[in-house]
């Protein structure tokens, strides 16, 4: 029948969309606000470090518990505001996986309302942006180090300060050497 064909086409379209989102590293979620039922795909489970096939408890408590404590208040307010006002949700936030690893994600959501403009569904997608954030931080720190070196006449002291400030972020130890016509000289170590 025509209805079965439409259902099959819709299901195939949904599967293609989920495959494309998964290939792009985007996980999806959906909350039925009336029934309090949450659903998510395997990519979202991977991003959050959840076991395959795991489910979220009603109300999204597990999601909120995974949000970094410093981000939890602003993000839950943004979610509450989006649902109350029927507006879109878009946040960058940190999550803590069960193994303690911190990751940055970008989360976007949309509220679907019924004919009376009451919120019914809250749905969206997340993407792990940790590597992007790290790259931005490296570029920022490199810019600061370059500016410090370019503006200081005391290059040995400045190199020591730069090494000391970078080590906690990138390595267990760092040494700066200078090569001139007399050979290689250690300038700073942290």
């Amino acid at each position: 029948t025509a209805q079965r064909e439409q259902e099959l086409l819709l299901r195939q379209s949904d599967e293609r969309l989920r495959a494309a989102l998964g290939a792009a590293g985007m996980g999806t979620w959906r909350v039925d606000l009336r029934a309090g039922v949450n659903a998510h795909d395997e990519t979202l489970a991977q991003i959050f470090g959840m076991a395959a096939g795991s489910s979220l408890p009603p109300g999204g408590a597990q999601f909120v518990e995974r949000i970094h404590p410093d981000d939890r208040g602003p993000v839950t307010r943004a979610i509450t505001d989006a649902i109350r006002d029927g507006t879109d949700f878009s946040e960058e936030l940190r999550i803590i996986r069960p193994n303690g690893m911190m990751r940055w994600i970008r989360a976007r959501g949309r509220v679907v309302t019924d004919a009376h403009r009451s919120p019914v569904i809250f749905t969206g997608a997340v993407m792990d942006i940790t590597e992007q954030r790290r790259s931005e931080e490296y570029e920022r720190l490199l810019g600061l180090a370059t500016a410090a070196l370019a503006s200081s006449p005391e290059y040995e002291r400045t190199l020591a300060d730069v090494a000391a400030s970078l080590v906690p972020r990138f390595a267990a130890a760092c040494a700066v050497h200078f090569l001139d016509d007399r050979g290689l000289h250690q300038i700073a170590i942290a």
Side-chain angles (χ1 to χ4, degrees), residues 70-88:
D70 293 344
D71 297 342
R72 196 170 293 151
V75 170
T76 54
R77 278 190 295 280
I79 291 169
T80 301
D81 292 348
I83 293 170
R84 181 193 66 226
D85 301 337
T87 58
D88 289 348

Side-chain angles (χ1 to χ4, degrees), residues 5-190:
E5 286 181 31
Q6 273 188 321
E7 289 173 2
L8 177 62
L9 289 173
L10 184 59
R11 190 171 26 254
Q12 289 172 341
S13 176
D14 186 56
E15 289 171 6
R16 284 193 303 273
L17 176 60
R18 289 192 186 286
L21 289 170
M26 296 180 76
T28 62
W29 48 270
R30 176 186 165 108
V31 178
D32 181 326
L33 297 169
R34 291 183 175 162
V37 176
N38 303 325
H40 64 277
D41 62 14
E42 290 299 317
T43 305
L44 185 130
Q46 291 171 356
I47 291 170
F48 276 76
M50 296 167 24
S54 64
S55 62
L56 293 171
Q62 188 176 10
F63 170 75
V64 172
E65 289 171 5
R66 296 276 169 85
I67 298 174
H68 189 282
D70 293 344
D71 297 342
R72 196 170 293 151
V75 170
T76 54
R77 278 190 295 280
I79 291 169
T80 301
D81 292 348
I83 293 170
R84 181 193 66 226
D85 301 337
T87 58
D88 289 348
F89 166 79
S90 181
E91 295 286 324
E92 287 188 6
L93 60 131
R94 294 165 290 177
I95 59 169
I96 308 295
R97 289 180 169 176
N99 65 4
M101 179 184 290
M102 186 191 79
R103 305 295 291 178
W104 278 95
I105 63 169
R106 178 176 296 124
R108 295 204 172 148
R110 174 163 286 162
V111 176
V112 179
T113 60
D114 63 13
H116 304 290
R117 305 205 36 89
S118 296
V120 180
I121 302 289
F122 188 41
T123 187
V126 300
M127 178 178 234
D128 187 326
I129 60 167
T130 304
E131 296 310 316
Q132 175 188 342
R133 293 292 291 232
R134 283 184 184 151
S135 178
E136 291 168 358
E137 177 68 1
Y138 294 162
E139 290 296 321
R140 186 184 71 76
L141 291 172
L142 181 60
L144 291 173
T146 302
L149 291 170
S151 65
S152 175
E154 299 178 34
Y155 76 91
E156 287 186 19
R157 180 72 197 138
T158 302
L159 283 173
D161 291 344
V162 168
S165 69
L166 295 181
V167 167
R169 292 185 170 118
F170 301 111
C174 177
V176 178
H177 294 83
F178 184 73
L179 177 65
D180 62 14
D181 56 346
R182 294 177 296 153
L184 189 63
H185 308 281
Q186 181 175 313
I187 301 296
I189 189 164

